[in-house]
Amino acid sequence: MADYKYGMNLIRVSNTTSWSSLVPDVIKEFNMPMQNPTKKYPGVITVGPSCNITDPGGPVFTTSRLFESLEEVEEYNHATMNQNKERIELVNSIHERCLSFTFRLSKILINAEYKGSGKPGVLSRNIFKARVGKIDEVIRFMTSYVESLPSDASIPQVSEVTYGSIGVLRLITPYENNIEAELGYEKSRSSWESPEVQKASESIESMVRSVSRILDTNL
């Protein structure tokens, strides 16, 4: 398994009327090469509800790419600015049906490892906003949490956003389906009254959770 160092997310908020037409197009774009047809950037693409209750948009499409170095990130950024004509036209068509699109770059602190019995079908994303000056404390708590998981449990990816909102940590766990994702949530929720969680909560400003369906992946 590759030891990924960085993750990049392209987050697209669709409009409420034509979001379903985006599904085949975002999958096509995900698999379409940009410059070098032999170069593959591993990742996953998902669709799920918006976590922002004030957002009038439709489902959110998230394309995540994983990189083993900053050099690969730079190479990918260069490729996105020099795409072939067909890919440019497809990207423009997708964005015409979206309300917004945002890039986020994160430094991966712990790599994910899926241990489910079937193929992963959803991603559970937990986004934490640390209080000012408290991000290292939250990182230590998350590291301790991952290390305490049973040996047969899937390991979530833990990353720190370095391009975007500062002080944001992402904990992303793959599950076979929504049922397994909810069971995972109930297990974690059962420990919320523990002294460790209560202490960590003093360093956390907010937390948002979402579960998105995996549309395609090449991991």
Side-chain angles (χ1 to χ4, degrees):
M1 179 180 294
D3 184 18
Y4 297 114
K5 302 297 193 301
Y6 290 89
M8 181 180 290
N9 293 290
L10 169 57
I11 304 164
R12 295 176 169 123
V13 179
S14 66
N15 63 41
T16 57
T17 57
S18 59
W19 70 267
S20 60
S21 69
L22 286 170
V23 174
D25 286 345
V26 295
I27 294 175
K28 180 179 180 180
E29 182 220 5
F30 176 75
N31 291 292
M32 184 181 291
M34 286 179 285
Q35 290 178 306
N36 184 347
T38 64
K39 179 64 177 179
K40 301 293 183 182
Y41 296 98
V44 60
I45 182 167
T46 65
V47 62
S50 171
C51 294
N52 186 353
I53 61 175
T54 63
D55 191 338
V60 176
F61 292 84
T62 303
T63 301
S64 302
R65 300 287 186 182
L66 298 174
F67 305 93
E68 297 180 29
S69 66
L70 278 175
E71 287 74 18
E72 276 198 348
V73 174
E74 285 296 307
E75 179 187 67
Y76 180 81
N77 286 337
H78 179 76
T80 60
M81 292 185 290
N82 295 275
Q83 303 172 58
N84 60 55
K85 182 179 179 182
E86 181 184 1
R87 198 173 193 280
I88 289 175
E89 292 176 349
L90 179 59
V91 170
N92 288 340
S93 173
I94 291 172
H95 287 170
E96 286 173 358
R97 287 168 281 167
C98 292
L99 296 180
S100 66
F101 58 95
T102 309
F103 282 99
R104 292 285 184 268
L105 180 67
S106 300
K107 183 178 182 179
I108 296 175
L109 308 175
I110 299 176
N111 280 283
E113 184 178 351
Y114 178 66
K115 298 181 181 179
S117 58
K119 183 178 179 181
V122 300
L123 288 184
S124 171
R125 292 184 172 96
N126 293 274
I127 313 300
F128 299 83
K129 173 67 175 177
R131 297 188 187 279
V132 176
K134 297 293 185 178
I135 190 168
D136 288 335
E137 292 184 20
V138 182
I139 290 174
R140 284 193 288 270
F141 168 73
M142 287 190 180
T143 302
S144 176
Y145 164 74
V146 171
E147 292 175 347
S148 71
L149 291 173
S151 59
D152 60 344
S154 294
I155 298 174
Q157 181 197 87
V158 179
S159 64
E160 176 186 353
V161 174
T162 58
Y163 183 88
S165 298
I166 301 302
V168 174
L169 295 166
R170 298 163 55 86
L171 189 149
I172 304 173
T173 309
Y175 289 99
E176 184 175 352
N177 50 48
N178 279 284
I179 296 173
E180 293 297 323
E182 289 306 296
L183 288 174
Y185 172 73
E186 290 298 327
K187 288 179 181 178
S188 65
R189 190 179 184 281
S190 66
S191 66
W192 284 6
E193 294 184 3
S194 69
E196 294 81 7
V197 174
Q198 290 298 310
K199 186 176 187 307
S201 67
E202 298 173 1
S203 302
I204 297 172
E205 182 176 308
S206 64
M207 184 186 89
V208 177
R209 176 178 181 265
S210 67
V211 178
S212 301
R213 182 164 62 92
I214 295 174
L215 294 176
D216 200 2
T217 179
N218 57 7
L219 293 174

